[in-house]
Amino acid sequence: MISKFIENFQKKSLKERFLFVISVLNFIAFCFLGLLLLFWKQLQLNLPNNLQPIVGCLIILFAFLRFITQVRRLNKLDDE
């Protein structure tokens, strides 16, 4: 499965590879931000203590949704 992914990744154009790498970096950044909100208790935000983990989970969910839509969009570009 990984070899098939690498083979498909190498077939993509430079633009599609760049967009994929940017979307992976974006996914990592949003997940890191969500994990900060979940686990860093000393983070001083103007949010109530019970709302901070909820916002962290929503940011992580947003990261997954963005990553999935970007991969689907790149696969659609690949089919054309």
Side-chain angles (χ1 to χ4, degrees), residues 1-12:
M1 181 172 175
I2 293 175
S3 62
K4 184 172 176 65
F5 172 76
I6 292 172
E7 182 181 319
N8 287 340
F9 185 74
Q10 290 174 345
K11 287 181 182 178
K12 293 185 182 293

Side-chain angles (χ1 to χ4, degrees), residues 2-80:
I2 293 175
S3 62
K4 184 172 176 65
F5 172 76
I6 292 172
E7 182 181 319
N8 287 340
F9 185 74
Q10 290 174 345
K11 287 181 182 178
K12 293 185 182 293
S13 69
L14 185 61
K15 175 186 172 186
E16 290 170 340
R17 282 190 239 168
F18 176 74
L19 288 175
F20 180 73
V21 170
I22 291 296
S23 66
V24 167
L25 291 175
N26 195 6
F27 171 72
I28 291 170
F30 274 114
C31 282
F32 182 71
L33 178 64
L35 290 173
L36 275 178
L37 287 173
L38 279 175
F39 296 114
W40 194 10
K41 299 298 181 196
Q42 291 88 13
L43 188 63
Q44 297 295 324
L45 296 174
N46 291 332
L47 292 174
N49 288 340
N50 59 352
L51 191 62
Q52 192 168 341
I54 295 171
V55 173
C57 290
L58 288 175
I59 289 175
I60 292 173
L61 180 67
F62 176 72
F64 278 109
L65 291 175
R66 267 189 73 121
F67 184 71
I68 290 170
T69 56
Q70 185 68 22
V71 168
R72 284 185 183 168
R73 186 178 302 143
L74 288 174
N75 285 339
K76 197 178 283 187
L77 284 176
D78 194 30
D79 292 341
E80 292 176 353

